[in-house]
């Protein structure tokens, strides 16, 4: 049965519980591609239950001529490069929103290397038709660094299998650099070495090796628990197996949340989040961690913390236009998010609501989970709550685990 909405009944605090997060889909999807390029035989431990990762697993094994990635951006971009280097002749498609998300930069780069790819309907956008691969022996390309790190990661993962390897020159500002570092780190774990000097990444011709690889918990998922603690009266929560250092750039949430009112206490088994005092104004550049932006803007809005943010440009081409979605939903709690060139100003005017605040999720998992912690301030209605299956399928069950009152709608 489809649940159209969930009502989260307001409460100030929740009971201390130990939460186990899903595995990182960012790490898992890279490991799955690289394991396939290694010829199989790797043991990947703690594979994410996120729909994006399950889709990747299924499509890598599929014998169908048309592969549907649904709404999984990483799956679309990584499979595009994978289908090229493995010389396959298939069609790659996705959801309506996926077909609106640009992929031209990646396709043009792969064509330079010898990939034969056609656009089926609209130039620069999926669906794509693959017609094989002839390695042209090109060993250097330029790729814009300011659009999507997933394009760069997709090319990097196939680079060692090219005859001469590859040198990638990143032009312009490099966005989401930690995601590129994740890719290079996982490649090293599977036996492929590289250098990343200033804006040049060099990968020589090499072979991947099958290995045992454990996927770490998802730091993006952890950010929502930081938000629950920040917006509570005095709640504490423990997250199992979450540790530093971590591959994922979103582990910076530890540092971001200290001035916003949450302190992290690590031990051998995980981390305990505790509420502390917070600042009245907050500035941050989200260039390297755009997936945290929705969470942080909601926290600042609900705590009446004035915000000044940069590095949000990529949010406009995500699962939805996240800037527009944030502006629409934040307005319901008295907050403005104003864009001025490359800077966004958050002007909060939050007052405790006696009525239920209804949040539209725009088919975006992060909209649902970023706004759910508002339950610590007022009752919240989340429309289309099933969107969380994309990255954190157990999210609503975990809320019930800490004794939050989650009521299913029609």
């Amino acid at each position: 049965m489809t649940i159209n909405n969930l009502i989260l009944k307001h409460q100030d605090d929740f009971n201390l519980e130990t939460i186990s997060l899903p595995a990182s889909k960012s790490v898992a999807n890279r490991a799955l591609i690289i394991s396939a390029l290694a010829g199989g035989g790797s043991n990947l431990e703690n594979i994410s239950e996120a729909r994006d990762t399950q889709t990747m697993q299924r499509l890598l094994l599929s014998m169908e001529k048309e592969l549907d990635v649904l709404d999984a951006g990483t799956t679309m971009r990584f499979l595009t490069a994978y289908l090229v280097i493995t010389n396959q002749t298939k069609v790659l498609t996705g959801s309506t929103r996926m077909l609106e998300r640009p992929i031209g930069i990646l396709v043009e780069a792969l064509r330079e290397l010898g990939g034969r790819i056609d656009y089926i309907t609209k130039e620069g956008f999926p669906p794509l038709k693959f017609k094989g691969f002839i390695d042209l022996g090109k060993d250097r390309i330029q790729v814009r660094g300011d659009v999507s790190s997933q394009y760069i990661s997709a090319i990097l993962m196939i680079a060692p299998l090219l005859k001469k390897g590859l040198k990638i020159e990143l032009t312009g500002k490099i966005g989401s650099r930690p995601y590129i570092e994740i890719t290079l780190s996982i490649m090293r774990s599977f036996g492929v070495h590289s250098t990343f000097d200033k804006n040049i990444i060099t990968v020589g011709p090499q072979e991947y090796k099958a290995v045992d690889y454990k996927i770490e918990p998802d730091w993006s998922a952890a950010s929502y628990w930081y938000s629950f603690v920040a917006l509570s009266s005095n709640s504490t929560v423990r997250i199992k197996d979450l540790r530093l250092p971590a591959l994922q750039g979103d582990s910076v949430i530890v540092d971001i949340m200290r001035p916003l009112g949450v302190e992290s206490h690590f031990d051998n088994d995980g981390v305990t989040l505790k509420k502390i005092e917070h600042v009245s104004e907050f500035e941050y550049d989200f260039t390297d961690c755009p997936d945290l932006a929705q969470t942080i803007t909601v926290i600042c809005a609900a705590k009446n913390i004035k915000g000044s943010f940069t590095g949000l440009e990529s949010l406009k081409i995500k699962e939805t236009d996240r800037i527009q979605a944030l502006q629409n939903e934040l307005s319901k709690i008295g907050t403005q998010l104003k864009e001025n060139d490359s800077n966004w100003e958050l002007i909060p005017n939050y007052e405790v609501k006696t009525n239920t605040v209804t949040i539209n999720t725009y088919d975006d998992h992060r909209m649902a989970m970023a706004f759910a912690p508002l339950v610590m301030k007022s009752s919240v209605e989340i429309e289309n709550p099933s969107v969380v299956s994309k990255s954190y399928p157990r999210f609503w069950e975990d809320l019930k685990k800490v004794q939050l009152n989650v009521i299913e709608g029609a």
Side-chain angles (χ1 to χ4, degrees):
M1 183 179 71
T2 301
I3 304 298
N4 293 325
N5 65 330
L6 285 178
I7 304 293
L8 310 180
K9 301 298 289 185
H10 167 244
Q11 57 195 79
D12 296 325
D13 285 303
F14 53 83
N15 292 340
L16 171 62
E17 286 283 353
T18 298
I19 299 298
S20 294
L21 297 175
S24 166
K25 68 183 181 72
S26 296
V27 175
N29 283 3
R30 287 162 170 79
L32 283 166
I33 289 286
I34 293 171
S35 176
L37 293 175
S42 296
N43 176 33
L44 303 183
E45 184 181 346
N46 195 33
I47 284 284
S48 173
E49 74 258 37
R51 188 179 67 230
D52 281 13
T53 300
Q54 297 299 311
T55 300
M56 178 73 87
Q57 281 187 289
R58 175 174 54 79
L59 296 183
L60 282 170
L61 298 173
S62 176
M63 303 302 292
E64 299 292 325
K65 295 299 292 183
E66 180 171 301
L67 306 180
D68 186 348
V69 305
L70 306 176
D71 60 351
T74 53
T75 306
M76 171 62 76
R77 280 96 181 237
F78 294 174
L79 280 180
T80 295
Y82 176 82
L83 292 175
V84 165
I85 200 66
T86 53
N87 199 28
Q88 298 194 45
T89 53
K90 293 190 176 185
V91 169
L92 195 57
T93 189
S95 67
T96 300
R97 173 58 181 168
M98 183 55 60
L99 303 188
E100 296 172 347
R101 298 177 70 178
I103 199 167
I105 291 173
L106 175 58
V107 169
E108 291 310 308
L110 292 171
R111 283 174 171 174
E112 281 189 61
L113 299 173
R116 299 172 62 208
I117 310 169
D118 287 343
Y119 298 112
I120 294 175
T121 54
K122 183 179 179 182
E123 191 78 9
F125 296 84
L128 306 174
K129 184 175 183 179
F130 296 82
K131 300 191 296 183
F133 174 68
I134 300 172
D135 192 335
L136 299 177
K138 187 163 186 175
D139 62 358
R140 186 183 182 110
I141 60 171
Q142 288 186 333
V143 181
R144 283 177 59 187
D146 62 346
V147 180
S148 174
S149 64
Q150 292 175 10
Y151 301 154
I152 300 160
S153 289
I155 298 166
L156 280 173
M157 287 187 285
I158 68 167
L161 304 183
L162 297 170
K163 282 189 297 190
K164 296 182 179 180
L166 190 64
K167 191 183 295 284
I168 303 177
E169 179 184 354
L170 304 180
T171 63
K173 182 180 179 181
I174 301 174
S176 300
R177 185 184 179 111
Y179 286 95
I180 301 172
E181 299 283 5
I182 288 175
T183 304
L184 296 175
S185 176
I186 299 172
M187 289 168 65
R188 280 194 298 274
S189 295
F190 284 79
V192 166
H193 298 279
S194 60
T195 61
F196 193 173
D197 184 17
K198 296 179 180 177
N199 66 325
I200 304 290
I201 309 173
T202 304
V203 184
Q206 300 162 72
E207 291 185 0
Y208 287 114
K209 298 177 176 62
V211 298
D212 294 340
Y213 189 84
K214 185 173 182 179
I215 296 156
E216 65 187 24
D218 184 9
W219 275 95
S220 304
S223 73
Y224 309 117
W225 291 102
Y226 276 88
S227 185
F228 278 111
V229 173
L231 300 188
S232 70
S233 293
N234 194 30
S235 293
T236 302
V237 71
R238 180 163 180 74
I239 304 177
K240 186 179 179 183
D241 296 330
L242 201 65
R243 297 184 179 88
L244 291 177
L247 283 179
Q248 300 161 74
D250 282 357
S251 61
V252 74
I253 192 69
V254 173
D255 298 322
I256 293 174
M257 289 306 302
R258 197 169 291 114
L260 296 181
V262 181
E263 198 164 60
S264 307
H265 298 269
F266 288 90
D267 57 36
N268 291 334
D269 299 318
V271 62
T272 300
L273 311 183
K274 296 182 178 180
K275 181 163 177 149
I276 57 175
E277 293 298 313
H278 63 85
V279 297
S280 60
E281 296 186 8
F282 183 70
E283 295 184 10
Y284 202 77
D285 181 355
F286 288 94
T287 299
D288 288 340
C289 55
D291 284 345
L292 297 180
Q294 289 147 293
T295 307
I296 300 307
T297 56
V298 174
I299 292 170
C300 289
K303 292 171 77 74
N304 279 313
I305 298 171
K306 187 176 180 181
S308 178
F309 307 135
T310 53
L312 302 184
E313 291 83 359
S314 67
L315 296 189
K316 295 183 179 183
I317 59 167
K318 297 287 188 176
E319 283 80 348
T320 186
D321 180 342
R322 288 177 170 169
I323 295 294
Q324 185 65 61
L326 280 169
Q327 288 171 331
N328 293 345
E329 303 311 298
L330 289 171
S331 69
K332 297 175 181 178
I333 57 172
T335 297
Q336 298 179 65
L337 183 62
K338 291 186 174 182
E339 182 174 355
N340 182 17
D341 293 328
S342 59
N343 185 78
W344 283 264
E345 184 181 9
L346 187 83
I347 306 170
N349 185 26
Y350 182 77
E351 296 178 2
V352 175
K353 306 291 184 183
T354 56
N355 59 316
T356 299
V357 179
T358 300
I359 300 299
N360 185 342
T361 56
Y362 304 82
D363 291 321
D364 184 348
H365 57 133
R366 301 207 186 281
M367 286 297 290
M369 293 184 284
F371 278 87
L374 282 178
V375 70
M376 312 312 294
K377 299 291 186 179
S378 67
S379 293
V380 182
E381 179 182 10
I382 303 291
E383 296 182 343
N384 191 18
S386 63
V387 292
V388 301
S389 64
K390 181 176 175 65
S391 62
Y392 193 166
R394 292 182 281 109
F395 183 70
W396 306 118
E397 293 304 313
D398 282 352
L399 265 56
K400 293 176 184 177
K401 184 176 179 181
V402 299
Q403 307 300 311
L404 286 172
N405 193 357
V406 180
I407 304 171
E408 293 183 359

